[in-house]
Amino acid sequence: MINFQYVRTSVVKTALGLIGKDPKASFIAGGTNLIDLMKRGVTAPDKLIDINYLPLKKIEEIDHVLHVGALASNSELAENMIVKDKFPLLMLALQAGASAQLRNMATVGGNMMQRTRCAYFYDTTMPCNKRAPGSGCGAIGGYNRMHAIFGASEACIAVHPSDMCVALVALDAKVVIAHTKGERKINFIDFHRLAGNTPEKDNNLQKGELIVRLEIPLNNLNKNFHYLKVRDRSSYAFALVSVAAALDIQNNIIHTARLAMGGVAHKPWRLIAAENFLKGKNPTVANFEEAAKIAMNGAKGFGENDFKLKMAPNSIIEALTVAKAKS
Ligand code: SF4
């Protein structure tokens, strides 16, 4: 048993002051990943700052932007009427994640902060550059069926496990972050990081900062959309490959295309080149196939995950085809 202190606050400023004073402290909200990490000895904060009582649960539309408090639960967000009506891609991605019980506990901010499910990361007897920088990567040349095909480095080939984040990157969300001097806002696409030679860093949140809300601009992507999650069993499994696809189709022309993938990179993987190709084109299978080909540029397998090199483009085509068929 590792001892740790537990403190609770209902004031954001106090929470920021507490975390700023203690480099080994950690915020805890739903705890659906952090508790596992602590039980397995992957992480050992000396203080847990319970933020569940902070006033960060509101979900509301303000000036054509959906504001989502970081402490809204995944199920609250999926069930919200504005989300169902105007951001159904996000609803589908949320519903695809974890189990109903976990979605009730897990918060939006926690979902973004969850760590990879690479088995070597959780096994403290194995080398892992993310858990113990410089110790090596057990997955390269080892069990890597779930691992990255895009943007991997020689230090780490892990993937980000979230479904929600795949939809959020496709929807051009922004992340609002509080610190002791105020707030800053970054694009969702810049929140998570590629592993590079610092795989221990999952994202660009700085020590002493707290995610307070997401802002998602309204769009015309609520008619032709699909979230496809390919996984080993039909419930409660992480994605082998997932695709968030949304199209704004007018007079049989694609005005806007949004595409992102999960289960393929260290961060939610937006497919900008494929989106640009689709813009102005007819929504045909031939164009979807070409977009998938473009999206796969630079993909690389590591042995056990080579099947993703076929699964990924097929999933893109399938997600776009289903999205188009909704009109
Ligand atoms: Fe660790 Fe990343 Fe290698 Fe997994 S892929 S063992 S998380 S360094």
Side-chain angles (χ1 to χ4, degrees), residues 290-308:
E290 188 58 28
K293 209 182 283 173
I294 291 166
M296 293 306 293
N297 197 17
K300 176 183 175 232
F302 288 87
E304 289 190 346
N305 70 346
D306 287 352
F307 68 93
K308 290 191 183 184

Side-chain angles (χ1 to χ4, degrees), residues 25-190:
S26 178
F27 290 131
I28 184 163
T32 55
N33 187 209
L34 180 59
I35 299 296
D36 283 347
L37 293 164
M38 290 174 68
K39 280 183 185 167
R40 296 197 188 199
V42 177
T43 187
D46 62 9
K47 184 185 287 173
L48 289 183
I49 304 163
D50 186 340
I51 56 172
N52 282 296
Y53 292 83
L54 300 185
L56 300 174
K57 289 192 175 160
K58 256 193 192 167
I59 302 170
E60 58 187 339
E61 191 184 323
I62 302 172
D63 293 337
H64 309 294
V65 176
L66 182 69
H67 288 224
V68 180
L71 290 173
S73 73
N74 287 198
S75 43
E76 283 164 347
L77 187 57
E79 289 300 314
N80 182 273
M81 290 313 293
I82 307 170
V83 173
K84 283 184 172 179
D85 183 32
K86 297 178 179 173
F87 302 94
L89 176 66
L90 177 58
M91 177 195 72
L92 287 187
L94 283 159
Q95 288 171 341
S99 65
Q101 291 93 333
L102 284 167
R103 292 194 294 272
N104 287 341
M105 286 302 294
T107 62
V108 166
N111 190 320
M112 292 165 61
M113 295 298 290
Q114 67 177 304
R115 313 232 39 206
T116 184
R117 279 1 189 243
C118 172
Y120 299 96
F121 178 66
Y122 286 79
D123 184 344
T124 55
T125 66
M126 299 300 287
C128 171
N129 287 324
K130 184 179 279 296
R131 172 174 33 76
S135 63
C137 172
I140 297 176
Y143 175 74
N144 56 37
R145 185 168 177 275
M146 302 294 290
H147 288 67
I149 55 170
F150 290 112
S153 75
E154 285 177 9
C156 177
I157 59 171
V159 298
H160 193 266
S162 171
D163 292 294
M164 177 192 81
C165 294
V166 181
L168 288 170
V169 79
L171 292 169
D172 274 347
K174 289 191 188 318
V175 187
V176 183
I177 294 165
H179 49 81
T180 48
K181 294 191 178 118
E183 286 185 354
R184 69 185 178 103
K185 210 181 273 193
I186 61 172
N187 293 328
F188 199 91
I189 199 169
D190 299 321

Side-chain angles (χ1 to χ4, degrees), residues 168-226:
L168 288 170
V169 79
L171 292 169
D172 274 347
K174 289 191 188 318
V175 187
V176 183
I177 294 165
H179 49 81
T180 48
K181 294 191 178 118
E183 286 185 354
R184 69 185 178 103
K185 210 181 273 193
I186 61 172
N187 293 328
F188 199 91
I189 199 169
D190 299 321
F191 182 79
H192 295 98
R193 298 164 58 102
L194 288 180
N197 55 12
T198 53
E200 67 277 14
K201 292 182 182 169
D202 294 344
N203 56 61
N204 288 314
L205 196 72
Q206 303 300 313
K207 190 71 194 163
E209 293 187 322
L210 174 68
I211 303 165
V212 288
R213 70 176 176 278
L214 294 173
E215 294 183 0
I216 316 172
L218 279 188
N219 55 51
N220 289 326
L221 302 165
N222 59 347
K223 290 185 187 67
N224 295 100
F225 60 89
H226 190 53

Side-chain angles (χ1 to χ4, degrees), residues 10-37:
S10 56
V11 180
V12 170
K13 212 171 167 186
T14 308
L16 292 170
L18 284 167
I19 199 106
K21 271 190 228 147
D22 188 344
K24 290 180 78 181
S26 178
F27 290 131
I28 184 163
T32 55
N33 187 209
L34 180 59
I35 299 296
D36 283 347
L37 293 164

